[in-house]
Amino acid sequence: MNTKARSVGDVTPFTAHFNQALPLSSGAELPEFDLVYETYGTLNTNRSNAILICHALSGTHHVAGTYSGDARTAGWWNNMVGPGKPVDTNRFFVVGVNNLGGCNGSTGPASINSRTGKPYGASFPFVTVEDWVHAQARLADHLGIDCFAAVMGGSLGAMQALQWALTYPARLRHAVVIAAAPKLSAQNIGFNEVARQAITTDPDFHGGDYYAHGVIPFHGLRLARMLGHITYLSDDAMMEKFGRELLAGKHKFSLEVEFEIESYLRYQGDKFTERFDANTYLIMTKALDYFDPAASAAGNLSAAMAKIKAATLVVSFTTDWRFSPARSKEIVKSLLDNALPVTYAEIESTQGHDAFLMENEHYFSVVSTYLNRVAQEVNA
Amino acid sequence: MRADLKAISELVAPGTRVLDLGCGDGVLLRHLQDNLGVTGYGIEIEPAGVVASIGNGINVIQMNLEAGLSGFDERSFDTVILSQTLQAMKHTEPLLRDMLRVGRECIVTFPNFGYWKNRLQVLAGVMPKSSDMPYEWYNTPNVHLCTLHDFEALCQRVGARVLQRIVISNGKPIHALPNLLGSLAVYRVSA
């Protein structure tokens, strides 16, 4: 890490309102919508230095910086984005946006449907990665960005970066695709389905319209998050972090929390229910499940990727078993088949899928070196 | 530029598709891109090499060559290059076979173990060291050193035709007694 790296400091989110209806992949449409976003750095005069950061399942528009000087409010990619950091805000104008269906200010299931005067709840339409990209393009128009220097993300965020390259080939120069897969495996979908079942079978779910009942499907959402956390960490990382440590030092022969890992998962689950909406969790996991760009080319990923014009950086992590390096290599292969510029780094890490959020020397030097090249290319 | 890299760039046709195995910091590909307009991809396993290659503006793919080139389709590159890496491979024969599958042509370079200075050192009872093989026997990555004759025997074994051979010493081409007087060999072969 650059020794001069620092935080972007205090930031303020903005809200953009869009009056023009957004047609969705499902056939439904959103008559109007809001997107909440943050920006860091300065857009240069030829508007060539913008980087869009797309968030993953539970992420937000708050990528970097803090609110009111409170270090606990640091953005989810604060280690990656800032002055002197791999995504250097001294050179780039960085945009973070909360996706449609989210619960952090962009229009989502908990938002009031202007037609009914009530929260959307279960009536909020299912959205796809492609829908998000269309909505993000509206935000780019709003900000006066014709072409991003790069669109970047990890996990589900990386899928958006890839989708950008497919849907708007002329509107980005680079896609940075970290810890991704070209589509979910049956196992991935299986995990998502268990998480969804945990939520929808919670008695407080009320068919998705729990807002009116003044409750949330707390237990279901908590379970969903606990399950998720298991898939984000590697077996080794979990063992290293928690081992078989007992809170009380000995077996209690009870169902109370005994092992450190139980305590960790319960804590993560509890914390999550305080900040996340269960309906959003359902929508986000569905968007993951539906993502399959090869489907547009009869399952042939290479044929689907032929539309891409951007150069791509693909990064994977050795112990990520949710989206393993082999899945990233499928993306690399499809780009190679089209003779497209592609760079691939496989980062040695014990952190599992979560590694994309963590500081790691090789990972950060790959991203910063790559983006340094991008900066030169766009005169940032 | 390293003498073998200079020789390689004379063997690559402009505007072709090139795969450089063990591309290191990417200087060869960068040179080929800038001067011959090739579409190039490099493969490198070392993190520092990957980062340096990115810095040099080449397409680099971090991958272990020992696992083979199974991700690459048959005849998907005009030229596959293996420069100064053959001797450090554990799975030398399978890699050479894979290269012949993926590339229409392959360029292989390696330090000639049969070079007279190497032979002299062996005669003197020590393992050879030179600018091309600067390692001690106990820390060398070179596990499969060979002579020109040895390499040509392997070519015959895997069905590779030798299209061209350039033997170099001190940056100059050697024509007489190449297996004795050449320190570095550059071969152009095809299936």
Coordinates of all heavy atoms in Angstrom, one line a residue, chain A residues 41 68 111 132 148 193 220 253 289 330:
Chain A
G41 N -13.4 12.2 -5.6 CA -12.5 12.7 -6.6 C -13.3 13.6 -7.5 O -14.4 14.0 -7.3
S68 N -19.6 12.0 9.1 CA -19.4 12.8 10.3 C -18.1 12.4 11.1 O -18.1 12.4 12.3 CB -20.6 12.8 11.3 OG -21.8 12.9 10.6
S111 N -39.5 1.0 -0.2 CA -39.9 2.3 -0.7 C -41.4 2.4 -0.8 O -42.1 1.4 -1.1 CB -39.3 2.6 -2.0 OG -37.9 2.4 -1.9
W132 N -30.1 -3.6 -13.5 CA -29.2 -2.7 -12.7 C -28.3 -1.8 -13.6 O -28.1 -0.6 -13.4 CB -28.3 -3.5 -11.7 CG -29.1 -4.0 -10.5 CD1 -30.3 -3.5 -10.0 CD2 -28.7 -5.1 -9.7 NE1 -30.6 -4.3 -8.9 CE2 -29.7 -5.3 -8.7 CE3 -27.7 -6.0 -9.8 CZ2 -29.7 -6.3 -7.8 CZ3 -27.6 -7.0 -8.8 CH2 -28.6 -7.1 -7.8
F148 N -17.2 5.3 -19.1 CA -16.4 5.1 -17.9 C -15.0 4.6 -18.3 O -14.8 3.8 -19.2 CB -17.0 4.0 -17.0 CG -18.2 4.5 -16.3 CD1 -19.5 4.2 -16.7 CD2 -18.1 5.3 -15.2 CE1 -20.6 4.6 -16.0 CE2 -19.2 5.8 -14.5 CZ -20.5 5.4 -14.9
E193 N -31.2 -20.5 -2.2 CA -32.6 -21.0 -2.0 C -32.8 -21.3 -0.5 O -33.8 -20.9 0.0 CB -32.9 -22.2 -2.9 CG -34.2 -22.8 -2.6 CD -35.4 -21.9 -2.7 OE1 -35.3 -20.7 -3.1 OE2 -36.5 -22.4 -2.4
G220 N -35.5 -15.3 10.1 CA -35.1 -15.8 8.7 C -34.0 -15.1 8.1 O -33.0 -15.7 7.6
F253 N -23.0 -28.8 27.2 CA -24.1 -29.7 27.0 C -25.5 -29.0 26.9 O -26.4 -29.4 27.6 CB -24.1 -30.9 28.0 CG -22.7 -31.6 27.9 CD1 -21.7 -31.4 28.8 CD2 -22.5 -32.6 26.9 CE1 -20.5 -32.1 28.7 CE2 -21.3 -33.2 26.7 CZ -20.3 -33.0 27.6
D289 N -28.9 -15.5 -9.1 CA -29.3 -16.8 -9.7 C -29.6 -16.6 -11.2 O -29.3 -17.5 -12.0 CB -30.6 -17.3 -9.1 CG -30.4 -17.8 -7.6 OD1 -29.2 -17.6 -7.1 OD2 -31.3 -18.2 -7.0
E330 N -13.1 -19.4 -16.7 CA -14.1 -19.5 -17.8 C -14.3 -18.2 -18.4 O -14.5 -18.1 -19.7 CB -15.5 -20.0 -17.2 CG -15.5 -21.4 -16.7 CD -16.8 -21.7 -16.0 OE1 -17.9 -21.2 -16.4 OE2 -16.8 -22.5 -15.0

